[in-house]
Amino acid sequence: MEAPYGARISLRNSPFARQSHAVSMSSLSEVLGLTPAALESRLAVLQLTPADRERLAEIAPLLEPGAEAFIDRLYTRLLGFPPTASWFTREGTVARLK
């Protein structure tokens, strides 16, 4: 079952915040409320291979300090182009996704 629309999921207070970054995809999908099919669909969109995911997990501690600024710049960029800005027409969507 997927998380309800509008649900904000934070891993900061989850067990994952206290564990290493080698989190299994099945464990993470459970926390996020994703079915295996929904997880695979999202990974397919991103075209992330298992090797890509492994490399990202390895460098996660290096990326975390700049993650919030990166996300802010990403959404500013996405909102700057009409085709991608159209993905965020509901008020509060960007804040919810961040």
Side-chain angles (χ1 to χ4, degrees), residues 33-47:
L34 296 173
T35 64
L39 175 62
E40 288 305 315
S41 174
R42 291 177 185 199
L43 291 172
V45 167
L46 297 172
Q47 297 180 331

Side-chain angles (χ1 to χ4, degrees), residues 10-78:
S10 172
L11 297 180
R12 289 182 188 176
N13 296 321
S14 78
F16 296 115
R18 294 177 296 281
Q19 294 179 2
S20 74
H21 296 281
V23 175
S24 75
M25 295 308 287
S26 62
S27 298
L28 184 57
S29 64
E30 286 177 23
V31 168
L32 297 174
L34 296 173
T35 64
L39 175 62
E40 288 305 315
S41 174
R42 291 177 185 199
L43 291 172
V45 167
L46 297 172
Q47 297 180 331
L48 290 175
T49 67
D52 295 331
R53 295 191 304 257
E54 186 176 315
R55 283 190 295 274
L56 286 170
E58 289 172 4
I59 64 169
L62 300 172
L63 300 175
E64 283 185 31
E68 190 171 332
F70 172 80
I71 295 295
D72 288 340
R73 288 194 324 266
L74 172 66
Y75 282 107
T76 297
R77 180 103 172 139
L78 291 173

